[in-house]
Amino acid sequence: MDILTIFVSAIFVNNILLSQFLGNCPYLGCSREKGVAVGMGAAVIFVTVVATLFTWLMQHYVLDPLKLGYLQTIVFIVVIAALVQFVEMFLKKMVPPLYRSLGIYLPLITTNCAVMGVALLMQRKGYDLVTSLLYAAGYSSGFLLALLLMAGIRERLDTCRLPKTMAGTPIALVMAGLMSLAFMAFKGMAQ
Amino acid sequence: MTLMQEFTKGLWKEMPPFRLVLGLCPTLAVTTSAENGIGMGVAVVFVLTLSNILVSMMRHIIPKAVRIACFIVIAASLVVSLELLMQAYVYSLYEKLGIFVPLIVVNCIILGRAEAFAAKNGVAASIADGLGIGLGFTMALTFLGSLREILGNGTWFGMNLFGDAFEPFQIMVKAPGAFICLGLILAGMNCINRWQAHRTGTEPVSIGCQACGASCKSCQLQMAMPEDAKKGV
């Protein structure tokens, strides 16, 4: 499969948020302003790609040879948690400007199911390392796209007069539903 | 609070995900049928109750600085046992729920209750809390699953309800239906809260963070809250 097909499939057709339902908490939490959405999205792209790399290596060079496949869940979450901690320390020490813009989102990412979800999906589908990394980049870019679109809509919503019962989370979910409907139109473009 | 109150608060007052907006991903993803909803709910009851027991027993040993990591490892070990049990006894359900079984590890309900309740209370109270919140979650998922299955497929627990003439709303069992259904249910909850508040002459309880009690540091929803709401938690 060529790179373009992978990206179209991961960003539009199988958007991680709008068709696979992963990462809903940050979606509702960080889609108030565009700046916050971009920060969170960038942090997720970074961590997802690195986490997919490490979990893939872990699965193929440690778990599989030792026949410890059943420990996948616990190993993956520990790898991701340690990785996030390490990335945070590294950025703080070596790249302070980047840390200042991404830093506050990093601790939240450990419990973001999009990161763990992508790592698990790659193992279930049995992709090789390069394909997995491309998919990870694609999926997390799709997450950034959905977050950014939603932030744009919600900035508009703030100035609208809504029924009090719909304000806040309910209208955000209904908007997500309508966006998901729009994304369904991409079906057929790729697998 | 008595044990009974700890148990019953999860069934309505702090029912996830309708009152505490936690654990949305599995709620949206697996509720294509009522049966899947129950299955996911029971899986969460198992992990939540046992994790509450373990966290509560170890609450004096776990150092404060690394507590989140400890809670995650406890939840992960329980999820691994759950996966092995499901593979042995209910394999078809395990296949249907897919990656959402291992993803129970990062479900905010588990971490949230460990931090907000089990780390501060005794074992008996933690069991009551885990069972109550878990049961509330199961009920919510079954309700959402039933709604989507009935509208989207014309069946309930696989039983055909309307006969052949019924044209199902296919969209309800697909992704957009999940978001729209949950959004409308939350709006309904808001409506009930406001009506109750109006009747008793108090401020309406808003859905979300107020009832949670966990530290906002580990929560992805923290940025959704206005600043003054955060101070209260």
Side-chain angles (χ1 to χ4, degrees):
Chain A
M1 216 193 291
D2 61 297
I3 295 173
L4 186 69
T5 325
I6 290 180
F7 270 89
V8 170
S9 153
I11 296 179
F12 296 110
V13 183
N14 299 308
N15 187 289
I16 190 145
L17 220 147
L18 299 170
S19 80
Q20 317 232 27
F21 310 107
L22 292 169
N24 274 292
C25 298
Y27 179 57
L28 291 175
C30 299
S31 61
R32 274 288 158 96
E33 292 162 34
K34 288 192 204 104
V36 177
V38 172
M40 185 69 182
V44 167
I45 294 182
F46 186 62
V47 173
T48 308
V49 174
V50 183
T52 307
L53 172 69
F54 278 91
T55 49
W56 196 94
L57 293 175
M58 202 72 185
Q59 177 81 30
H60 287 259
Y61 292 103
V62 180
L63 293 183
D64 285 351
L66 298 175
K67 297 200 169 47
L68 290 173
Y70 62 92
L71 285 178
Q72 194 189 46
T73 311
I74 192 164
V75 168
F76 276 24
I77 190 69
V78 170
V79 167
I80 291 170
L83 195 72
V84 170
Q85 194 72 49
F86 181 75
V87 167
E88 196 185 347
M89 288 189 312
F90 177 81
L91 287 183
K92 199 173 186 176
K93 193 88 184 150
M94 308 303 280
V95 209
L98 196 60
Y99 177 76
R100 275 197 295 279
S101 50
L102 298 187
I104 49 168
Y105 309 108
L106 282 173
L108 300 174
I109 285 178
T110 314
T111 51
N112 183 341
C113 47
V115 178
M116 174 108 166
V118 170
L120 286 167
L121 267 179
M122 295 305 104
Q123 298 308 328
R124 300 237 162 156
K125 297 236 170 106
Y127 293 136
D128 61 42
L129 184 57
V130 179
T131 319
S132 297
L133 290 178
L134 286 173
Y135 263 111
Y139 276 133
S140 44
S141 315
F143 180 79
L144 172 64
L145 177 73
L147 214 58
L148 198 57
L149 288 175
M150 193 62 194
I153 296 174
R154 279 180 93 172
E155 281 182 2
R156 285 288 186 88
L157 275 180
D158 281 345
T159 58
C160 292
R161 285 181 58 199
L162 285 169
K164 283 216 172 70
T165 45
M166 287 299 282
T169 317
I171 192 72
L173 282 166
V174 174
M175 294 305 310
L178 295 178
M179 266 174 36
S180 153
L181 205 59
F183 270 69
M184 275 177 80
F186 291 112
K187 283 241 158 75
M189 279 174 69
Q191 270 295 305
Chain B
M1 274 211 275
T2 63
L3 284 184
M4 202 56 207
Q5 279 169 319
E6 297 291 4
F7 176 70
T8 51
K9 75 169 191 273
L11 302 185
W12 178 251
K13 216 176 96 207
E14 296 187 11
M15 181 186 200
F18 295 164
R19 286 278 179 129
L20 297 180
V21 190
L22 291 176
L24 285 182
C25 301
T27 308
L28 292 164
V30 303
T31 51
T32 47
S33 72
E35 196 191 338
N36 286 1
I38 286 199
M40 188 70 202
V42 172
V44 168
V45 171
F46 174 85
V47 177
L48 181 59
T49 311
L50 290 178
S51 114
N52 263 6
I53 294 175
L54 287 175
V55 169
S56 173
M57 287 197 309
M58 291 195 258
R59 68 185 189 277
H60 299 302
I61 311 170
I62 297 174
K64 217 164 178 323
V66 290
R67 66 186 190 288
I68 303 279
C70 295
F71 299 159
I72 290 180
V73 173
I74 290 174
S77 339
L78 290 167
V79 169
V80 169
S81 359
L82 173 76
E83 276 182 277
L84 293 174
L85 279 173
M86 284 182 82
Q87 279 168 8
Y89 296 107
V90 280
Y91 190 70
S92 64
L93 183 69
Y94 176 79
E95 287 280 284
K96 264 194 238 161
L97 297 182
I99 62 166
F100 288 93
V101 180
L103 283 179
I104 294 177
V105 177
V106 286
N107 190 325
C108 333
I109 298 176
I110 313 283
L111 273 181
R113 291 328 286 177
E115 173 151 305
F117 196 91
K120 296 172 192 156
N121 289 283
V123 176
S126 298
I127 296 175
D129 177 79
L131 283 175
I133 299 271
L135 204 60
F137 186 67
T138 313
M139 286 179 355
L141 254 62
T142 315
F143 176 69
L144 189 59
S146 308
L147 200 66
R148 288 180 66 195
E149 193 185 342
I150 291 171
L151 290 174
N153 210 15
T155 57
W156 191 55
F157 286 103
M159 286 181 298
N160 198 334
L161 290 182
F162 303 112
D164 295 333
F166 178 72
E167 191 69 48
F169 304 77
Q170 292 253 310
I171 206 76
M172 293 314 263
V173 286
K174 298 214 169 97
F179 286 109
I180 293 173
C181 261
L182 185 62
L184 294 179
I185 290 174
L186 286 181
M189 289 304 276
N190 258 337
C191 205
I192 295 173
N193 288 345
R194 292 172 61 81
W195 174 70
Q196 276 181 338
H198 180 72
R199 212 183 40 175
T200 54
T202 46
E203 278 287 300
V205 206
S206 58
I207 288 175
C209 291
Q210 275 84 347
C212 166
S215 146
C216 294
K217 280 202 180 121
S218 61
C219 176
Q220 316 235 341
L221 281 167
Q222 62 166 344
M223 280 159 218
M225 286 188 294
E227 281 301 317
D228 51 326
K230 268 189 230 175
K231 279 172 205 147
V233 188

